[in-house]
Amino acid sequence: MSHFDEKITKYKALMEKGAFLQVIDQFYHEDIKQKENNEPSVKGRATLREMEVKNLNGVHSVELEITSMVVDADQQKVMGEMEIRFHSKKHGWKKLNEAFVQQWEEGRIIAQRFYYQAIEDL
């Protein structure tokens, strides 16, 4: 297993454990650029961390499973799908199926994009 593959394995384990802030601190590049669907891009690890804290404050719990993942170590690209189930403080249990594409650089995610449809009730 390459060093890149080991890093991706650690990333996946932390995501599925729900350690989202640790993932941001450990794996996001300082200058990360993130885009969700057709929303404007968001730039910077600190900004994304603030957004995640706000999101986490709006839920009782989050369960995440990465259901498929393709890793291209040569291009440092990761693509996959995940299912996120969360208990919203305002709206109860919800589910989101999401695809993602990540570009890594120097061991950190420098760019990522998420693709998803509407959030579903559980």
Side-chain angles (χ1 to χ4, degrees):
M1 182 180 290
S2 75
H3 179 66
F4 186 70
D5 290 325
E6 289 175 12
K7 193 168 274 284
I8 299 306
T9 299
K10 290 177 185 173
Y11 164 84
K12 182 179 185 281
L14 285 174
M15 286 291 288
E16 290 184 334
K17 182 179 162 185
F20 306 117
L21 296 177
Q22 186 178 349
V23 166
I24 291 170
D25 295 341
Q26 189 171 343
F27 294 104
Y28 281 25
H29 191 282
E30 183 178 325
D31 296 322
I32 186 172
K33 183 177 173 185
Q34 178 172 295
K35 185 165 180 65
E36 297 195 30
N37 283 341
N38 294 319
E39 298 295 320
S41 295
V42 177
K43 188 169 182 181
R45 180 174 59 217
T47 301
L48 289 171
R49 192 178 201 289
E50 286 175 21
M51 289 172 57
E52 188 65 15
V53 167
K54 182 180 176 186
N55 288 338
L56 291 172
N57 284 336
V59 299
H60 294 291
S61 64
V62 179
E63 301 166 0
L64 182 145
E65 178 186 6
I66 296 176
T67 55
S68 67
M69 191 159 56
V70 177
V71 178
D72 183 337
D74 292 336
Q75 293 189 40
Q76 293 193 46
K77 187 166 278 202
V78 178
M79 297 167 280
E81 297 174 308
M82 58 186 162
E83 181 176 290
I84 306 164
R85 295 169 301 280
F86 59 96
H87 188 200
S88 167
K89 290 181 179 177
K90 291 183 180 179
H91 306 290
W93 280 100
K94 301 289 183 180
K95 179 175 85 168
L96 177 64
N97 290 306
E98 188 169 73
F100 63 91
V101 178
Q102 300 171 331
Q103 183 64 53
W104 291 61
E105 181 180 284
E106 300 173 359
R108 292 182 179 253
I109 304 165
I110 187 71
Q112 69 181 350
R113 183 151 185 191
F114 297 107
Y115 301 90
Y116 53 89
Q117 303 263 332
I119 296 172
E120 302 172 28
D121 291 330
L122 277 180

